[in-house]
Amino acid sequence: MNYLPSFELTDQVVVVTGGGKGIGRAIAIGAAEAGADVAILARTSSDINETAGLVRDKGRKAYPIQTDITSKQEIEEAVSMVYKEAGKINILINNAGMNIRSKASDVTENEWNKIFQTNLQGAFFMSQACAAIMKENGGGKIINVSSVAGHVALRTGVVYAATKAGMIQMTKNLALEWAEDHISVNAIGPWYFRTPLTDQLLENKEYLQDILSRTPMNRVGEMKDLVGAAVFLSSEASDYMTGQTLFVDGGMTIYGF
């Protein structure tokens, strides 16, 4: 008997939202390296086409689809397009997200709506649309990219934190409801990783030192750390996991401050 499960995603079709750059691009490339074909969804055409080229460089098929996930109609059209072109959807990675760093007393209605629509509403309706296809095909996996900010209080903005906490709870509820359809739903909770969105912040030596002082491993995350978690949760190695949030944070949530 062999006990080591496969971490490969050979011939699986993975949908990655926010796949044009940063974490989403890294996950898309990592999924391709694991053997998957990848649909890349984001708003900027040039970004998704660049990611698609990098996926194809790995010998896999890529489906770049310009999509605004704050629109339920665009989500449904994009998912339908992936299904039509690829013939299946095995894995969804809800990575698209945004933040506006406002103090609670300064948050506007527009900021509130924009962050919720992108981070939480978009992830829900993407999950709903992909799950309908997964049910027809015997199951699948959904991975939500949340944040340590959904678990502990940080100075990253109350609205962002609320959406990421909501994503963790949504993960549990969807996992419970869809387990009978053989769809697992898990989440990843990152701390700081170097991306186009964080590079400017981390260039500030005082800010970086504050981050490192909260991180037992005393370093910022590298993309391979996060991609490894995403591939694990996408593969058969995580088949008996659902409703869980895997914190990839260098130990930051040990302290919880």
Side-chain angles (χ1 to χ4, degrees):
M1 179 181 290
N2 295 324
Y3 288 98
L4 182 66
S6 174
F7 291 82
E8 294 184 0
L9 304 178
T10 305
D11 296 327
Q12 300 287 288
V13 175
V14 180
V15 178
V16 182
T17 69
K21 54 189 175 183
I23 289 172
R25 174 173 288 180
I27 290 175
I29 295 169
E33 290 176 348
D37 297 330
V38 188
I40 305 117
L41 278 56
R43 287 180 291 189
T44 306
S45 178
S46 58
D47 288 343
I48 59 175
N49 284 322
E50 187 174 342
T51 301
L54 295 169
V55 167
R56 293 179 185 125
D57 287 345
K58 301 296 181 181
R60 304 306 308 179
K61 294 177 182 177
Y63 308 95
I65 302 174
Q66 191 172 5
T67 312
D68 181 356
I69 65 161
T70 65
S71 165
K72 186 173 183 289
Q73 180 178 342
E74 288 198 31
I75 285 172
E76 291 171 348
E77 290 172 354
V79 170
S80 178
M81 192 179 301
V82 174
Y83 189 40
K84 182 178 180 179
E85 293 190 22
K88 58 183 178 179
I89 293 175
N90 305 105
I91 300 152
L92 165 64
I93 299 177
N94 280 312
N95 166 73
M98 65 164 299
N99 190 16
I100 300 172
R101 294 173 180 270
S102 298
K103 293 181 179 179
S105 56
D106 297 330
V107 172
T108 66
E109 183 178 8
N110 181 62
E111 289 175 344
W112 176 278
N113 290 338
K114 192 173 183 179
I115 298 170
F116 259 85
Q117 286 169 356
T118 302
N119 294 5
L120 194 55
Q121 176 182 302
F124 173 76
F125 285 115
M126 276 298 307
S127 298
Q128 185 187 68
C130 289
I133 292 169
M134 291 174 180
K135 290 175 185 179
E136 293 180 1
N137 294 308
K141 292 177 182 282
I142 296 173
I143 297 99
N144 296 318
V145 179
S146 180
S147 167
V148 295
H151 181 65
V152 298
L154 299 174
R155 294 185 292 273
T156 53
V158 63
V159 188
Y160 177 82
T163 62
K164 293 303 185 178
M167 184 173 272
I168 289 172
Q169 189 60 37
M170 182 179 75
T171 296
K172 296 177 182 179
N173 279 68
L174 294 182
L176 180 62
E177 184 169 341
W178 290 342
E180 64 184 18
D181 298 305
H182 307 290
I183 297 171
S184 67
V185 188
N186 290 293
I188 299 172
W191 179 218
Y192 271 87
F193 284 75
R194 290 192 181 277
T195 71
L197 291 177
T198 63
D199 279 344
Q200 188 173 356
L201 289 171
L202 297 176
E203 284 176 5
N204 182 318
K205 292 183 179 180
E206 186 176 337
Y207 191 93
L208 175 59
Q209 188 53 48
D210 183 50
I211 297 304
L212 297 180
S213 71
R214 303 172 185 223
T215 310
M217 287 188 171
N218 197 41
R219 69 174 175 87
V220 175
E222 299 178 10
M223 283 300 178
K224 65 180 181 180
D225 301 321
L226 203 57
V227 170
V231 170
F232 164 66
L233 290 175
S234 298
S235 75
E236 71 172 33
S238 64
D239 276 356
Y240 200 50
M241 285 180 64
T242 197
Q244 304 303 308
T245 298
L246 185 61
F247 289 103
V248 186
D249 63 357
M252 179 270 180
T253 51
I254 295 171
Y255 288 141
F257 61 82

